[in-house]
Amino acid sequence: MSTQKVTLRVYRGDAESGELQDYTVEVSEGMVVLDAVHQIQATQAPDLACRWNCKAGKCGSCSAEINGKPRLMCMTRMVDAIKTAEGGPILVKPMKTFPHIKDLVTDVSQNYRNNKKITPFRPAPKGPDGEWKIFQYEIDRAQEFRKCIECYLCQNVCHVLRDHHEFSFAGPRYMVRAAGLEMHPADQGDRIDQLKEELGIGYCNITKCCTEVCPEGIHITDNAIIPLKERVVDEHYDPITALFRKVFGKKAPPNPAP
Amino acid sequence: MLRPQGMVTLSLGATDRKDAWWLSPLLFAIAFGGFSIYATWAAWQNEFYRFGPYLSPFYSPLLKPEWLPPWLSPAFLILGAPLGFRLTCYYYRKAYYRAFLLDPPGCAVGEGKPSGYRGERAFPFILQNLHRFFLALAILVWGILVKDTVEACIWDGQFGIGLGTLVMMVNVVLLGLYTFSCHSFRHLIGGKHDCWSCLTFGKQRHTLWRGVSWLNGRHMQFAWVSMIWVGLTDVYIRLCAMGLLQDSRLF
């Protein structure tokens, strides 16, 4: 394939101010947007700041907004970016939701603070043989959530954080983490009250943008948030289940030992 | 010069996206709005809901208590169940929050109203948590529709199938798929458990949950086809009852 020249319109600036600047890059076959950004760094703007590490969609560093859509730069082919730019320059901007640092780099530390609110793994006692016995079929569900690479594209696109700046909502990534712990067969922690109050699950109005942008294809809304919402309903909004619990007692903690 | 990102509030509809992000909310608004108008009109009619052994799903179960004023159609006594089920449905919530409340209008599309958002933490949307109770009502209504469909096979005491019977059969199948692919149903039949091997018949219950999860992945599609078909079922029976359409008796 012969090379093709295209224009990349990249956000340049710091926390004070910024502007969009055009760069011409040569596109060759198989190239991704991150390659183009590297080409700009190498040939035109050595001071262009961007985070990256693995270039394989597994480290979650190079999140950006490409033609208005939250994407990983390393997983967005230039041919696709040219297509979604619809004849205009390819627009590359940092994630909107987080405080800006420089060029394509944002400060995502709010997410780490939210993470600390979640009760960590509380393992059940091990069995007599000193092991937990967990079957693959029952851990499948929690393992889907372990695929998360913490790229924060879901946090970025979530309108509760992005448009309403409501950071008392922990955000989709932490709903996924809480779900992974809550649904773990050997976990005995209880995060339901926490989800309702500190993590603010009620802010989510399940508009599914997080699921749409997840580069790992995690079904954030259907498999994590909605099942957690249903568990919150069990504890707080369902008088029949509450009565049932009162009469028959709270279910015994799981005992994975045979 | 652009302001730094962070807390900038984008005005309604502001986005860098160039694709037709507005298309699916628009289609939803047209289809759901159209259905709602038709259903309201049909419920007010108070006639032409019966033809032979067929009963329109909008009028089933047919309750006619004595205290019901003659101007009020019996449809209004039962429409609350399917309406409440669909309004609190996790798929419809996504669709109407986007299409009607523009909250958000699309992914990475500006809303222009940053403050005062309380989501489903406060009235009125905290009521969405009642979805499972509407599920119970919806299952009840579905059972009655199954009974109606069985009765639609009996013409003056004789077994027979007309085109309308087939229309009603498809209707209960589609409504069944929509009802039993519900997220609350998925939770209640087993999704609430973590340690399946600790349960009696855990493996079997897990298989059941997997099956419902498969259906649940298609909840949106079932929501659409079942909504359109239930409307068409009413249209078919109404046209037959008005004499505008000849119901063909297959055997």
Side-chain angles (χ1 to χ4, degrees), chain B residues 30-47 49 56-59 71-80 82-83 87 227 230-232 234-235 238:
Chain B
I30 292 170
F32 189 68
F35 176 82
S36 307
I37 292 168
Y38 175 76
T40 313
W41 175 83
W44 272 115
Q45 292 311 297
N46 207 357
E47 55 180 351
Y49 50 80
S56 161
F58 287 175
Y59 284 80
W71 53 268
L72 194 67
S73 129
F76 286 100
L77 296 180
I78 51 106
L79 273 183
L83 181 73
L87 280 183
M227 182 179 84
V230 77
L232 290 178
D234 180 82
V235 170
R238 186 168 298 279

Side-chain angles (χ1 to χ4, degrees), chain A residues 92-225:
Chain A
V92 184
K93 282 179 158 186
M95 290 193 282
K96 181 203 171 294
T97 303
F98 308 113
H100 192 239
I101 297 176
K102 186 173 188 293
D103 302 339
L104 299 177
V105 178
T106 54
D107 174 10
V108 296
S109 54
Q110 176 66 46
N111 297 308
Y112 304 124
R113 286 193 289 278
N114 277 338
N115 186 31
K116 287 186 184 152
K117 296 179 190 170
I118 302 174
T119 304
F121 185 54
R122 291 270 157 81
K126 291 185 177 173
D129 54 355
E131 304 280 348
W132 287 310
K133 197 158 202 171
I134 300 170
F135 293 88
Q136 183 58 45
Y137 74 88
E138 53 185 354
I139 193 80
D140 276 344
R141 192 153 61 138
Q143 280 177 343
E144 180 190 4
F145 307 133
R146 302 290 295 192
K147 291 196 296 181
C148 175
I149 58 174
E150 296 209 315
C151 63
Y152 296 128
L153 288 174
C154 58
Q155 302 283 95
N156 175 49
V157 83
C158 173
H159 77 123
V160 179
L161 309 173
R162 186 186 179 94
D163 293 285
H164 301 295
H165 317 305
E166 188 54 79
F167 285 92
S168 42
F169 176 47
R173 191 279 168 268
Y174 295 105
M175 295 297 126
V176 164
R177 172 147 191 264
L181 294 166
E182 262 313 287
M183 296 175 193
H184 193 292
D187 173 76
Q188 292 191 326
D190 184 357
R191 296 166 194 83
I192 299 303
D193 290 350
Q194 192 173 62
L195 278 161
K196 180 172 175 280
E197 301 302 333
E198 294 120 275
L199 304 177
I201 194 170
Y203 282 113
C204 168
N205 69 347
I206 48 166
T207 35
K208 283 200 166 174
C209 290
C210 51
T211 306
E212 282 182 26
V213 301
C214 181
E216 281 292 315
I218 301 171
H219 296 88
I220 302 174
T221 319
D222 285 326
N223 287 352
I225 302 181

Side-chain angles (χ1 to χ4, degrees), chain A residues 11 14-20 67-70 84-86 88 91 93-100 135 137-138 141 157 159-160 162-166 182-185 196-197 200 202-209 212 222-223 226-227 229-231 233-234 237-241 251 254-255, chain B residues 1-10 15-20 89-91 93-95 97-98 103-104 106-121 126 129-133 183-188 190-198 202-203 206 209-210 216-217:
Chain A
Y11 184 87
D14 52 27
E16 304 299 312
S17 66
E19 59 184 358
L20 293 168
N67 295 324
K69 277 198 180 171
T84 55
E86 293 185 5
L91 195 61
K93 282 179 158 186
M95 290 193 282
K96 181 203 171 294
T97 303
F98 308 113
H100 192 239
F135 293 88
Y137 74 88
E138 53 185 354
R141 192 153 61 138
V157 83
H159 77 123
V160 179
R162 186 186 179 94
D163 293 285
H164 301 295
H165 317 305
E166 188 54 79
E182 262 313 287
M183 296 175 193
H184 193 292
K196 180 172 175 280
E197 301 302 333
Y203 282 113
C204 168
N205 69 347
I206 48 166
T207 35
K208 283 200 166 174
C209 290
E212 282 182 26
D222 285 326
N223 287 352
I226 294 176
K229 273 185 177 257
E230 286 294 322
R231 289 174 185 218
V233 175
D234 278 346
Y237 301 107
D238 181 347
I240 296 171
T241 309
K251 66 169 183 187
N255 175 20
Chain B
M1 195 70 100
L2 289 167
R3 286 176 64 201
Q5 311 266 304
M7 303 301 252
V8 175
T9 298
L10 295 178
T15 182
D16 292 327
R17 287 176 63 172
K18 288 189 171 171
D19 58 332
C89 161
Y90 285 97
Y91 162 66
R93 275 145 79 175
K94 169 206 160 183
Y97 283 134
R98 285 197 194 187
D103 202 2
C107 301
V109 177
E111 279 181 30
K113 44 175 186 224
S115 61
Y117 176 80
R118 294 162 80 193
E120 298 183 345
R121 280 169 71 90
I126 197 167
N129 287 310
L130 299 176
H131 188 47
R132 61 180 61 177
F133 298 104
H183 290 84
S184 288
F185 186 67
R186 183 187 183 213
H187 170 78
L188 294 167
K192 58 185 168 185
H193 299 298
D194 303 325
C195 181
W196 303 82
S197 56
C198 313
K203 187 88 199 193
H206 184 265
W209 173 79
R210 281 276 301 274
N216 180 254

Side-chain angles (χ1 to χ4, degrees), chain B:
Chain B
M1 195 70 100
L2 289 167
R3 286 176 64 201
Q5 311 266 304
M7 303 301 252
V8 175
T9 298
L10 295 178
S11 57
L12 180 63
T15 182
D16 292 327
R17 287 176 63 172
K18 288 189 171 171
D19 58 332
W21 58 265
W22 42 266
L23 188 63
S24 68
L26 182 70
L27 287 178
F28 177 83
I30 292 170
F32 189 68
F35 176 82
S36 307
I37 292 168
Y38 175 76
T40 313
W41 175 83
W44 272 115
Q45 292 311 297
N46 207 357
E47 55 180 351
F48 302 126
Y49 50 80
R50 269 216 126 124
F51 176 77
Y54 308 152
L55 176 63
S56 161
F58 287 175
Y59 284 80
S60 175
L62 191 58
L63 306 174
K64 283 184 175 168
E66 278 177 14
W67 48 262
L68 189 72
W71 53 268
L72 194 67
S73 129
F76 286 100
L77 296 180
I78 51 106
L79 273 183
L83 181 73
F85 184 53
R86 291 200 184 238
L87 280 183
T88 58
C89 161
Y90 285 97
Y91 162 66
Y92 279 93
R93 275 145 79 175
K94 169 206 160 183
Y96 68 73
Y97 283 134
R98 285 197 194 187
F100 293 129
L101 304 177
L102 309 174
D103 202 2
C107 301
V109 177
E111 279 181 30
K113 44 175 186 224
S115 61
Y117 176 80
R118 294 162 80 193
E120 298 183 345
R121 280 169 71 90
F123 187 81
F125 297 119
I126 197 167
L127 296 177
Q128 308 281 28
N129 287 310
L130 299 176
H131 188 47
R132 61 180 61 177
F133 298 104
F134 285 109
L135 166 70
L137 289 177
I139 293 176
L140 191 70
V141 170
W142 181 76
I144 292 165
L145 292 178
V146 171
K147 181 189 101 353
D148 289 345
T149 308
V150 172
E151 286 172 1
C153 302
I154 302 160
W155 298 72
D156 302 323
Q158 299 252 307
F159 177 80
I161 293 208
L163 191 55
T165 318
L166 295 184
V167 170
M168 288 173 72
M169 280 176 181
V170 174
N171 186 44
V172 290
V173 169
L174 294 178
L175 282 177
L177 286 171
Y178 172 61
T179 308
F180 296 108
S181 61
C182 163
H183 290 84
S184 288
F185 186 67
R186 183 187 183 213
H187 170 78
L188 294 167
I189 56 108
K192 58 185 168 185
H193 299 298
D194 303 325
C195 181
W196 303 82
S197 56
C198 313
L199 304 169
T200 5
F201 297 114
K203 187 88 199 193
Q204 289 76 5
R205 288 160 80 175
H206 184 265
T207 308
L208 176 68
W209 173 79
R210 281 276 301 274
V212 174
S213 299
W214 184 88
L215 288 176
N216 180 254
R218 285 140 195 87
H219 198 45
M220 175 183 86
Q221 287 84 339
F222 295 146
W224 275 93
V225 290
S226 65
M227 182 179 84
I228 292 168
W229 198 270
V230 77
L232 290 178
T233 308
D234 180 82
V235 170
Y236 184 84
I237 294 168
R238 186 168 298 279
L239 290 180
C240 290
M242 291 166 86
L244 297 174
L245 200 71
Q246 190 66 46
D247 180 56
S248 14
R249 181 78 182 270
L250 303 174
F251 55 86

